[in-house]
Amino acid sequence: MKKGKLIVFDGNDGSGKQTQAKLQIEKLKALGIETETLDFPRYYHNFFGKFLGECMTNQHGDWASTDPCLASMVYANDRLESSPMIQKWLDEGKFVLLDRFVSANQIHQGGKISDPEKREEFLKWLDTLEHDIFKIPRPDLVIYLDVPVEISLENLKKTGKKLYTGDREDAVEGNREYLENSRAAGHELVFKNQNWRMIDCMEDGQMLSKEVISEKIDHLLIEEGLLVIA
């Protein structure tokens, strides 16, 4: 049986990951391609996802400044809970589209580390943890949706509070320094990793429409040989 494809959408908060994942799912299903999807963290479905919801609202200390290795362990365990289901879908030959995955730890926790050598050591440690120890599947492609932090912050204001936050504020969504560091880390990861590609979501200082961004993703999937249009 042909192995499925694992495609991840990532980027800063407010970059349109969820929107683009949904649009791509609709297109794939219209082509008759069996497709499954999940979004991470799994706040409402996993034990560690629920715990992360508490962490993100600072119920267990200042989450934005938590040691990258310790924070990564919690996120990785959330993925570990869903990993068997993802692997099952891949073994069935399905396309699996994810809103964030291991890449989120690489971007956000790696962004906390300013020293290049220490950040590289952390990324190697993280790769061992998630893929070698936890056996979490490696993505075929990570699509990094790039928007400036200023645009991210504007978009986040439009979305309002998330269910997992309740009456509390998300610890990182409004933290400009955190988001700037995460974006810089994302750019570096695109440059260094063969299975990462960046989609520039901007033109003339304005964010492109979701339809135009989706078309860019279509072309990327075809160029990468992940999608063949007869």
Side-chain angles (χ1 to χ4, degrees), residues 207-219:
M207 189 167 180
L208 296 167
S209 70
K210 62 182 180 180
E211 291 82 10
V212 171
I213 296 171
S214 183
E215 287 177 6
K216 284 191 171 190
I217 294 170
D218 293 342
H219 293 308

Side-chain angles (χ1 to χ4, degrees), residues 19-200:
T19 296
Q20 292 306 321
K22 287 181 177 179
L23 287 173
Q24 200 58 48
I25 290 164
E26 292 173 1
K27 292 180 180 182
L28 291 172
K29 288 185 174 180
L31 292 170
I33 298 173
E34 287 191 279
T35 309
E36 302 287 353
T37 185
L38 293 175
D39 61 290
F40 288 94
R42 304 282 290 153
Y43 295 116
Y44 315 114
H45 304 279
N46 290 348
F47 176 86
F48 279 96
K50 181 179 179 181
F51 180 68
L52 275 165
E54 297 173 2
C55 291
M56 295 292 287
T57 50
N58 286 339
Q59 295 180 54
H60 301 285
D62 183 4
W63 188 243
S65 62
T66 300
D67 178 83
C69 290
L70 294 179
S72 293
M73 287 289 290
V74 185
Y75 286 107
N77 272 284
D78 180 40
R79 285 184 279 277
L80 179 62
E81 286 187 69
S82 297
S83 185
M85 181 165 53
I86 293 171
Q87 190 60 61
K88 177 178 179 292
W89 289 336
L90 293 172
D91 291 342
E92 292 170 348
K94 296 179 178 180
F95 267 59
V96 180
L97 271 61
L98 304 178
D99 175 355
R100 285 188 169 158
F101 201 46
V102 176
S103 48
N105 261 349
Q106 295 170 300
I107 292 168
H108 296 284
Q109 301 309 316
K112 293 179 179 179
I113 305 171
S114 57
D115 182 88
E117 290 186 7
K118 290 183 179 179
R119 184 167 59 248
E120 191 64 29
E121 289 176 7
F122 165 75
L123 291 172
K124 289 179 180 178
W125 175 87
L126 182 63
D127 188 83
T128 300
L129 169 69
E130 302 235 24
H131 297 304
D132 295 338
I133 305 300
F134 284 178
K135 307 297 183 185
I136 294 170
R138 290 184 184 275
D140 293 282
L141 181 67
V142 176
I143 300 174
Y144 183 85
L145 301 176
D146 186 47
V147 299
V149 169
E150 190 63 40
I151 300 298
S152 293
L153 292 171
E154 289 177 11
N155 290 341
L156 288 170
K157 289 179 183 178
K158 300 174 186 176
T159 60
K161 285 184 177 291
K162 309 292 195 306
L163 290 175
Y164 69 84
T165 63
D167 295 327
R168 298 171 180 264
E169 293 293 330
D170 186 290
V172 301
E173 279 192 350
N175 188 325
R176 181 183 291 272
E177 181 180 4
Y178 181 97
L179 295 176
E180 291 284 7
N181 291 340
S182 296
R183 187 181 184 220
H187 284 201
E188 184 176 340
L189 287 158
V190 170
F191 177 75
K192 289 186 174 182
N193 291 282
Q194 293 184 348
N195 65 330
W196 283 58
R197 296 292 183 272
M198 182 185 292
I199 296 290
D200 185 355

